[in-house]
mmCIF file of all heavy atoms in Angstrom:
data_model
loop_
_atom_site.group_PDB
_atom_site.id
_atom_site.type_symbol
_atom_site.label_atom_id
_atom_site.label_comp_id
_atom_site.label_asym_id
_atom_site.label_seq_id
_atom_site.Cartn_x
_atom_site.Cartn_y
_atom_site.Cartn_z
ATOM 1 N N GLN R 619 3.802 -4.626 6.737
ATOM 2 C CA GLN R 619 5.111 -4.219 6.231
ATOM 3 C C GLN R 619 5.129 -4.095 4.712
ATOM 4 O O GLN R 619 5.745 -3.193 4.170
ATOM 5 C CB GLN R 619 6.147 -5.266 6.658
ATOM 6 C CG GLN R 619 7.459 -4.663 7.066
ATOM 7 C CD GLN R 619 8.450 -5.753 7.430
ATOM 8 O OE1 GLN R 619 9.241 -6.199 6.620
ATOM 9 N NE2 GLN R 619 8.361 -6.203 8.668
ATOM 10 N N GLN R 706 -7.613 -4.586 -6.825
ATOM 11 C CA GLN R 706 -6.703 -5.274 -7.723
ATOM 12 C C GLN R 706 -6.903 -6.760 -7.920
ATOM 13 O O GLN R 706 -6.543 -7.296 -8.964
ATOM 14 C CB GLN R 706 -5.263 -5.068 -7.234
ATOM 15 C CG GLN R 706 -4.743 -3.732 -7.647
ATOM 16 C CD GLN R 706 -3.936 -3.133 -6.535
ATOM 17 O OE1 GLN R 706 -3.173 -3.822 -5.898
ATOM 18 N NE2 GLN R 706 -4.093 -1.861 -6.300
ATOM 19 N N LYS R 743 -22.939 17.722 18.524
ATOM 20 C CA LYS R 743 -23.620 18.526 17.508
ATOM 21 C C LYS R 743 -24.503 17.654 16.621
ATOM 22 O O LYS R 743 -24.012 16.694 16.026
ATOM 23 C CB LYS R 743 -22.580 19.237 16.651
ATOM 24 C CG LYS R 743 -21.811 20.274 17.422
ATOM 25 C CD LYS R 743 -20.722 20.900 16.584
ATOM 26 C CE LYS R 743 -20.008 21.970 17.404
ATOM 27 N NZ LYS R 743 -18.702 22.319 16.856
ATOM 28 N N GLU R 778 -8.900 16.245 22.916
ATOM 29 C CA GLU R 778 -9.403 17.618 22.952
ATOM 30 C C GLU R 778 -9.719 18.126 21.539
ATOM 31 O O GLU R 778 -10.745 18.745 21.303
ATOM 32 C CB GLU R 778 -8.390 18.555 23.626
ATOM 33 C CG GLU R 778 -8.951 19.970 23.720
ATOM 34 C CD GLU R 778 -8.041 20.939 24.470
ATOM 35 O OE1 GLU R 778 -7.094 20.471 25.121
ATOM 36 O OE2 GLU R 778 -8.304 22.157 24.382
ATOM 37 N N ILE R 780 -10.606 16.442 18.954
ATOM 38 C CA ILE R 780 -11.825 15.829 18.418
ATOM 39 C C ILE R 780 -13.066 16.391 19.107
ATOM 40 O O ILE R 780 -14.071 16.671 18.473
ATOM 41 C CB ILE R 780 -11.775 14.293 18.561
ATOM 42 C CG1 ILE R 780 -10.684 13.734 17.647
ATOM 43 C CG2 ILE R 780 -13.117 13.672 18.213
ATOM 44 C CD1 ILE R 780 -10.459 12.243 17.781
ATOM 45 N N SER R 781 -12.967 16.584 20.411
ATOM 46 C CA SER R 781 -14.171 17.046 21.107
ATOM 47 C C SER R 781 -14.388 18.541 20.987
ATOM 48 O O SER R 781 -15.520 18.998 20.830
ATOM 49 C CB SER R 781 -14.120 16.621 22.577
ATOM 50 O OG SER R 781 -12.919 17.059 23.176
ATOM 51 N N GLN R 782 -13.303 19.338 21.003
ATOM 52 C CA GLN R 782 -13.469 20.797 21.038
ATOM 53 C C GLN R 782 -12.904 21.544 19.836
ATOM 54 O O GLN R 782 -13.163 22.742 19.687
ATOM 55 C CB GLN R 782 -12.807 21.370 22.300
ATOM 56 C CG GLN R 782 -13.236 20.720 23.596
ATOM 57 C CD GLN R 782 -14.690 20.986 23.938
ATOM 58 O OE1 GLN R 782 -15.274 21.944 23.430
ATOM 59 N NE2 GLN R 782 -15.287 20.145 24.774
ATOM 60 N N GLY R 783 -12.117 20.871 19.022
ATOM 61 C CA GLY R 783 -11.539 21.548 17.864
ATOM 62 C C GLY R 783 -10.295 22.340 18.212
ATOM 63 O O GLY R 783 -9.859 22.368 19.358
ATOM 64 N N MET R 784 -9.734 22.961 17.202
ATOM 65 C CA MET R 784 -8.474 23.676 17.418
ATOM 66 C C MET R 784 -8.680 25.157 17.717
ATOM 67 O O MET R 784 -7.766 25.826 18.201
ATOM 68 C CB MET R 784 -7.561 23.519 16.192
ATOM 69 C CG MET R 784 -8.083 24.132 14.911
ATOM 70 S SD MET R 784 -7.079 23.669 13.454
ATOM 71 C CE MET R 784 -5.774 24.885 13.514
ATOM 72 N N PHE R 785 -9.864 25.682 17.436
ATOM 73 C CA PHE R 785 -10.097 27.115 17.673
ATOM 74 C C PHE R 785 -10.386 27.386 19.146
ATOM 75 O O PHE R 785 -11.027 26.585 19.819
ATOM 76 C CB PHE R 785 -11.278 27.613 16.830
ATOM 77 C CG PHE R 785 -10.952 27.805 15.381
ATOM 78 C CD1 PHE R 785 -9.824 27.217 14.817
ATOM 79 C CD2 PHE R 785 -11.779 28.571 14.564
ATOM 80 C CE1 PHE R 785 -9.523 27.380 13.470
ATOM 81 C CE2 PHE R 785 -11.481 28.740 13.213
ATOM 82 C CZ PHE R 785 -10.361 28.137 12.673
ATOM 83 N N GLN Q 131 -3.068 3.401 -7.812
ATOM 84 C CA GLN Q 131 -3.859 2.191 -7.996
ATOM 85 C C GLN Q 131 -3.167 0.957 -7.421
ATOM 86 O O GLN Q 131 -3.807 0.096 -6.845
ATOM 87 C CB GLN Q 131 -4.096 1.978 -9.492
ATOM 88 C CG GLN Q 131 -5.512 1.545 -9.827
ATOM 89 C CD GLN Q 131 -5.644 1.314 -11.313
ATOM 90 O OE1 GLN Q 131 -5.435 0.228 -11.816
ATOM 91 N NE2 GLN Q 131 -5.977 2.378 -12.022
ATOM 92 N N GLN Q 218 10.929 -0.636 2.317
ATOM 93 C CA GLN Q 218 11.236 -1.863 1.580
ATOM 94 C C GLN Q 218 12.355 -1.804 0.568
ATOM 95 O O GLN Q 218 12.976 -2.815 0.277
ATOM 96 C CB GLN Q 218 9.967 -2.326 0.852
ATOM 97 C CG GLN Q 218 9.043 -3.057 1.773
ATOM 98 C CD GLN Q 218 7.616 -2.692 1.492
ATOM 99 O OE1 GLN Q 218 7.230 -2.558 0.351
ATOM 100 N NE2 GLN Q 218 6.843 -2.515 2.523
ATOM 101 N N LYS Q 255 -5.887 27.373 19.987
ATOM 102 C CA LYS Q 255 -5.441 26.929 21.301
ATOM 103 C C LYS Q 255 -3.925 26.809 21.340
ATOM 104 O O LYS Q 255 -3.341 26.097 20.518
ATOM 105 C CB LYS Q 255 -6.063 25.574 21.624
ATOM 106 C CG LYS Q 255 -7.558 25.658 21.815
ATOM 107 C CD LYS Q 255 -8.181 24.302 22.020
ATOM 108 C CE LYS Q 255 -9.672 24.455 22.251
ATOM 109 N NZ LYS Q 255 -10.414 23.211 22.005
ATOM 110 N N HIS Q 257 -1.981 25.357 23.565
ATOM 111 C CA HIS Q 257 -1.353 24.194 24.224
ATOM 112 C C HIS Q 257 -1.382 22.923 23.369
ATOM 113 O O HIS Q 257 -0.803 21.907 23.744
ATOM 114 C CB HIS Q 257 -2.035 23.935 25.560
ATOM 115 C CG HIS Q 257 -3.510 23.716 25.436
ATOM 116 N ND1 HIS Q 257 -4.405 24.755 25.268
ATOM 117 C CD2 HIS Q 257 -4.253 22.594 25.417
ATOM 118 C CE1 HIS Q 257 -5.631 24.268 25.183
ATOM 119 N NE2 HIS Q 257 -5.564 22.963 25.264
ATOM 120 N N ILE Q 292 -12.942 20.402 12.521
ATOM 121 C CA ILE Q 292 -11.557 20.760 12.829
ATOM 122 C C ILE Q 292 -11.486 22.024 13.681
ATOM 123 O O ILE Q 292 -10.710 22.097 14.634
ATOM 124 C CB ILE Q 292 -10.742 20.942 11.530
ATOM 125 C CG1 ILE Q 292 -10.603 19.593 10.818
ATOM 126 C CG2 ILE Q 292 -9.354 21.519 11.835
ATOM 127 C CD1 ILE Q 292 -9.906 19.656 9.481
ATOM 128 N N SER Q 293 -12.322 22.986 13.393
ATOM 129 C CA SER Q 293 -12.221 24.239 14.144
ATOM 130 C C SER Q 293 -12.925 24.182 15.495
ATOM 131 O O SER Q 293 -12.420 24.714 16.479
ATOM 132 C CB SER Q 293 -12.754 25.406 13.309
ATOM 133 O OG SER Q 293 -14.039 25.126 12.841
ATOM 134 N N GLN Q 294 -14.076 23.498 15.571
ATOM 135 C CA GLN Q 294 -14.861 23.525 16.809
ATOM 136 C C GLN Q 294 -15.032 22.178 17.501
ATOM 137 O O GLN Q 294 -15.518 22.126 18.629
ATOM 138 C CB GLN Q 294 -16.263 24.086 16.519
ATOM 139 C CG GLN Q 294 -16.275 25.428 15.802
ATOM 140 C CD GLN Q 294 -15.709 26.554 16.674
ATOM 141 O OE1 GLN Q 294 -15.670 26.417 17.903
ATOM 142 N NE2 GLN Q 294 -15.261 27.633 16.045
ATOM 143 N N GLY Q 295 -14.711 21.086 16.807
ATOM 144 C CA GLY Q 295 -14.884 19.782 17.424
ATOM 145 C C GLY Q 295 -16.303 19.251 17.312
ATOM 146 O O GLY Q 295 -17.172 19.910 16.758
ATOM 147 N N MET Q 296 -16.497 18.064 17.851
ATOM 148 C CA MET Q 296 -17.814 17.435 17.711
ATOM 149 C C MET Q 296 -18.740 17.704 18.904
ATOM 150 O O MET Q 296 -19.941 17.503 18.815
ATOM 151 C CB MET Q 296 -17.657 15.923 17.516
ATOM 152 C CG MET Q 296 -17.050 15.178 18.694
ATOM 153 S SD MET Q 296 -16.643 13.440 18.287
ATOM 154 C CE MET Q 296 -18.232 12.651 18.545
ATOM 155 N N PHE Q 297 -18.172 18.171 20.004
ATOM 156 C CA PHE Q 297 -19.005 18.390 21.194
ATOM 157 C C PHE Q 297 -19.738 19.725 21.099
ATOM 158 O O PHE Q 297 -19.219 20.713 20.584
ATOM 159 C CB PHE Q 297 -18.152 18.398 22.474
ATOM 160 C CG PHE Q 297 -17.715 17.032 22.925
ATOM 161 C CD1 PHE Q 297 -17.777 15.935 22.055
ATOM 162 C CD2 PHE Q 297 -17.250 16.836 24.221
ATOM 163 C CE1 PHE Q 297 -17.359 14.679 22.469
ATOM 164 C CE2 PHE Q 297 -16.832 15.566 24.645
ATOM 165 C CZ PHE Q 297 -16.887 14.494 23.772
ATOM 166 N N LYS Q 298 -20.947 19.737 21.634
ATOM 167 C CA LYS Q 298 -21.683 20.994 21.782
ATOM 168 C C LYS Q 298 -21.003 21.851 22.839
ATOM 169 O O LYS Q 298 -20.473 21.331 23.823
ATOM 170 C CB LYS Q 298 -23.110 20.706 22.285
ATOM 171 C CG LYS Q 298 -24.165 20.683 21.211
ATOM 172 C CD LYS Q 298 -25.507 20.529 21.912
ATOM 173 C CE LYS Q 298 -26.663 20.503 20.950
ATOM 174 N NZ LYS Q 298 -27.907 20.096 21.640
#
Side-chain angles (χ1 to χ4, degrees):
Chain R
Q619 219 182 94
Q706 280 140 42
K743 293 176 178 162
E778 183 176 347
I780 293 175
S781 54
Q782 307 293 339
M784 64 189 275
F785 284 18
Chain Q
Q131 222 182 90
Q218 280 141 40
K255 293 175 178 160
H257 57 282
I292 293 176
S293 53
Q294 307 293 339
M296 64 189 276
F297 284 16
K298 262 186 180 169

